[in-house]
Structure formats: structure tokens, C-alpha cells
Amino acid sequence: FGTDWLRSTKLIGWNILCYGILLWVVDTWAVTLKQIRQLELKDAFLIGLAQCLALLPGTSRSGATIIAGLLLGLSRSVAAEFTFYLAIPTMFGASAIKLLKFVGGGISFTGMEMAILLVSMIVAFAVSLFVIRFLMDYIRKHDFKIFGYYRIVLGAIVLLYFMLR
């Protein structure tokens, strides 16, 4: 059976498209019941499980967790905020694993390379904070439909490209 099907361009296209449709539908019909203080451990666990769906190519980690949050009754801003919180250990862990693979693989860093890496990390962190603030301001005033439309169009383009190729 293997895992080659996971790298299928059709699967990626369908995932992009379907998550766009799902985000649009859930954003349109979900009922907001909970604010951040009402988030229960069970909700956090279920949203974390939804994050695992991003292991499938074409699935957005933040999209999967936002959809789960909306389905659990979180407001748009709370679902997005919690998604950003979930990204912290995920990104930290992925970066740590990558760094350990480099070091474990016998790659050493010069002082200049370490300085460049450190400056790059600081700049990436600062830009991330700016982008997160911008997105949170946007989400407080708007819905997620634009992200759903984007994924629907992108998924259709990916599917058409690879079907016509």
C-alpha cells in the first residue's frame, strides 16, 4: 500500500479545495458560544487532535485548528488566537529537531554562522509578531471567508493544472 498516495498532487489539490469549502461553510454556520476563558481541556485536546490533520499534504495546520475551534463554539478571534498558541510548541519543536539533525549529522557552525542564525531567528520572531497582530486585528473585524475563497480557487487551480498536464 505504501505512502506514495500522500504525495499525490491530486490529494494535495483536493485537500486545499475541501478545506477551503469546509472553512467557508463552518465560518458561515458555526455558532459562537465560548470565549477564551470558557475554553475547556476537552476543547483544547480536540483542537490539538485536529492539528494532526495537517500531516496530510495540502492541509493547513491553522485552518484545521480554526475549523475545529469554530465547530466547538469558539469565537473567530479565540479560535485564531488559540491556533497561534498551538503554533509555538509546534514551530519550536520542528526547529529544534532540524537543528539537532544538523548537529548530529556532523555539521558544525562557525561563530559567524551562529550569529547569522541568531539574527535570523530574532528577525523572524519580530516579523511573526507583526503579522500575528495584523491578522488578529483583521479577524476581529472580518470573517474567515476570504481564506476559504483563496483555498477554493487555489485548490481548483492545482487540480486543473495537474489534470490537464
Side-chain angles (χ1 to χ4, degrees), residues 74-148:
L74 301 182
S75 68
R76 288 181 182 107
S77 60
V78 170
E81 185 178 345
F82 192 71
T83 292
F84 289 129
Y85 290 147
L86 279 177
I88 295 168
T90 304
M91 300 304 171
F92 180 78
S95 297
I97 288 170
K98 185 71 108 175
L99 188 59
L100 288 173
K101 282 184 180 180
F102 277 128
V103 173
I107 297 175
S108 61
F109 296 101
T110 66
M112 179 58 84
E113 290 170 334
M114 279 302 258
I116 291 170
L117 181 61
L118 185 60
V119 169
S120 300
M121 289 168 49
I122 292 168
V123 170
F125 180 75
V127 170
S128 296
L129 289 178
F130 173 77
V131 170
I132 288 169
R133 178 175 288 165
F134 171 79
L135 284 172
M136 288 305 298
D137 287 343
Y138 178 86
I139 290 166
R140 284 186 192 99
K141 298 172 190 161
H142 302 88
D143 55 31
F144 290 117
K145 288 184 183 74
I146 189 72
F147 300 107

Side-chain angles (χ1 to χ4, degrees), residues 29-45:
W29 299 105
V31 178
T32 300
L33 302 171
K34 299 177 185 176
Q35 296 301 317
I36 195 76
R37 288 185 184 93
Q38 297 169 309
L39 189 67
E40 298 174 17
L41 186 59
K42 170 189 63 118
D43 299 326
F45 179 75

